[in-house]
Amino acid sequence: MNNTQVDLSELMDDSDVIGQRIPVSATPAAIAEKEADEAESRDLVNQLLGQVQMARSFAKFADVVSLTKLQHIKESKIYRALAGKKGFDLDGNEIADVGTWDGFCQALGLSRSKVDEDLTNLTAFGEDALKQLSAVGAGYRELRQYRKLPADQQQALIEVAKEGDKESLMELAEELIAKQVKEKEALKADLEISRQNVAEKKEQVSHLQEANEALNNKLKHRIYHETPDQAEKELRKETNLIAHEIETFISVRLKEAFVALANHADEHNLPQDDFMTGLLCQIDRRVLQLREEFSLESAPTGTDRPTWLDADEATLLGQQPVTE
């Protein structure tokens, strides 16, 4: 089959071009402008295909067609000027529709995937930088890795590529990629810890739900099976247990933490007073909220007044009263 240049404009009729047909109501000036645009698009695709067919090899392809021109053709979809038209690739194989991006790439003697990757690299690095990277031996595999790097690291590689030193480029790229892998692994570890924390929180919520359900069952049992006096006794017993746990936590665990903070503050001259005061204020606020919610006095005054309220401070601290 004759492999000389094929004028694809012969495969088209003048009305089958980019965009919509010229509306009947269009002015002569609009018609002229439309026809000029369509002729320009048709000429561009035909010129491009003709140049490639004359080049006959990818080695010369880069000299005839720039990636920037291909990018413009793809983004503006100028290739659709050939929609529905058949053509032939550089080996004489028939192309069912040259007006698709796939068909247009075939007419150029290239695969769509390769052209798309070239354009992706063009967008990532720019035309000049891509030429410099390619000139020092960066192939598709390397460029894919470079695209994943942050912009400042990409720029560092481009600067090295400008010097034309392939070995230095590969060494720097290897270092940057290894650093990125390490950072990703650290991020993955942090993510796994976060997932574990979420799982633990879910488990805690599940336990709380189970405890709540058990409490509801208890309440139902009391309503239907216990006398008011029995129910009151059990409720007070459970409430007292909860209050005792909270009191123990404050008087023992929180006190131990405060002692550690105070010692650290003394040793390093790093005052912790405001921080400790803030924690106590938070606890006081929660207690005050309970008082307000249930309209409670600051101290009991009725028959249930506990005896320890009337004891002196020394007795409360477990010490013997000081006698004169």
Side-chain angles (χ1 to χ4, degrees):
M1 178 173 291
N2 187 358
N3 286 325
T4 57
Q5 179 180 355
V6 177
D7 186 358
L8 291 176
S9 62
E10 295 178 358
L11 300 178
M12 305 166 53
D13 60 53
D14 292 337
S15 62
D16 192 8
V17 291
I18 300 175
Q20 300 176 348
R21 294 179 182 274
I22 301 173
V24 176
S25 59
T27 63
I31 294 173
E33 183 179 356
K34 182 76 172 177
E35 289 177 344
D37 290 342
E38 292 166 350
E40 183 179 354
S41 298
R42 183 169 59 249
D43 290 345
L44 177 59
V45 291
N46 279 319
Q47 179 187 27
L48 176 60
L49 291 170
Q51 287 174 333
V52 173
Q53 288 173 336
M54 290 176 67
R56 295 296 299 145
S57 71
F58 179 70
K60 295 182 180 179
F61 174 80
D63 297 330
V64 225
V65 182
S66 70
L67 284 176
T68 304
K69 184 181 290 186
L70 270 180
Q71 186 178 51
H72 169 68
I73 290 172
K74 182 179 181 181
E75 290 176 354
S76 60
K77 297 181 171 52
I78 294 176
Y79 58 86
R80 290 184 178 176
L82 306 175
K85 305 306 178 183
K86 294 181 179 181
F88 300 90
D89 64 18
L90 301 183
D91 295 320
N93 300 311
E94 185 178 288
I95 303 171
D97 189 351
V98 183
T100 65
W101 182 237
D102 272 324
F104 188 73
C105 291
Q106 289 177 43
L108 295 176
L110 303 169
S111 68
R112 171 178 178 169
S113 60
K114 186 204 171 303
V115 175
D116 284 344
E117 181 148 11
D118 283 337
L119 296 182
T120 299
N121 289 330
L122 176 67
T123 301
F125 304 108
E127 188 172 18
D128 292 339
L130 181 57
K131 287 180 180 178
Q132 290 160 352
L133 288 168
S134 300
V136 292
Y140 286 110
R141 184 177 66 85
E142 289 80 16
L143 291 175
R144 286 191 203 103
Q145 293 176 323
Y146 301 168
R147 291 202 306 261
K148 297 176 183 178
L149 296 172
D152 59 333
Q153 295 182 7
Q154 289 182 4
Q155 188 58 41
L157 290 174
I158 292 169
E159 293 301 320
V160 174
K162 288 179 181 179
E163 299 173 4
D165 188 343
K166 180 178 180 180
E167 185 176 349
S168 296
L169 175 68
M170 295 306 171
E171 287 179 359
L172 177 60
E174 184 178 348
E175 178 184 338
L176 294 177
I177 292 169
K179 179 182 177 182
Q180 186 188 49
V181 169
K182 187 175 180 181
E183 290 174 350
K184 283 185 176 180
E185 288 175 351
L187 183 62
K188 185 178 179 181
D190 291 341
L191 181 60
E192 183 59 31
I193 292 173
S194 297
R195 286 174 178 169
Q196 290 176 1
N197 290 338
V198 170
E200 289 174 2
K201 292 294 183 184
K202 286 183 177 179
E203 187 176 358
Q204 291 174 3
V205 170
S206 177
H207 289 329
L208 288 174
Q209 289 174 338
E210 290 174 1
N212 187 53
E213 185 178 355
L215 180 60
N216 287 334
N217 292 335
K218 237 183 222 186
L219 290 173
K220 289 178 183 178
H221 176 77
R222 285 171 185 160
I223 291 172
Y224 295 107
H225 301 284
E226 294 181 357
T227 65
D229 288 344
Q230 290 173 327
E232 179 195 17
K233 183 179 179 180
E234 288 298 319
L235 285 171
R236 290 179 64 138
K237 179 180 177 181
E238 291 172 6
T239 306
N240 187 62
L241 181 61
I242 294 171
H244 179 70
E245 289 176 353
I246 295 172
E247 182 184 355
T248 301
F249 200 90
I250 292 175
S251 61
V252 179
R253 296 289 300 282
L254 186 58
K255 182 179 178 180
E256 290 174 352
F258 274 20
V259 168
L261 275 172
N263 290 338
H264 185 272
D266 292 340
E267 291 175 9
H268 303 282
N269 194 27
L270 297 170
Q272 300 293 330
D273 295 4
D274 281 348
F275 174 70
M276 295 161 69
T277 301
L279 293 178
L280 293 181
C281 284
Q282 190 173 354
I283 294 172
D284 288 341
R285 183 172 296 178
R286 294 293 179 264
V287 172
L288 182 60
Q289 286 175 345
L290 286 175
R291 287 189 190 284
E292 292 177 350
E293 183 175 351
F294 296 100
S295 303
L296 302 176
E297 300 291 341
S298 59
T301 57
T303 56
D304 279 343
R305 179 182 175 86
T307 56
W308 59 262
L309 276 175
D310 299 318
D312 56 38
E313 185 176 356
T315 302
L316 290 175
L317 293 174
Q319 302 171 357
Q320 293 299 324
V322 178
T323 57
E324 295 288 323

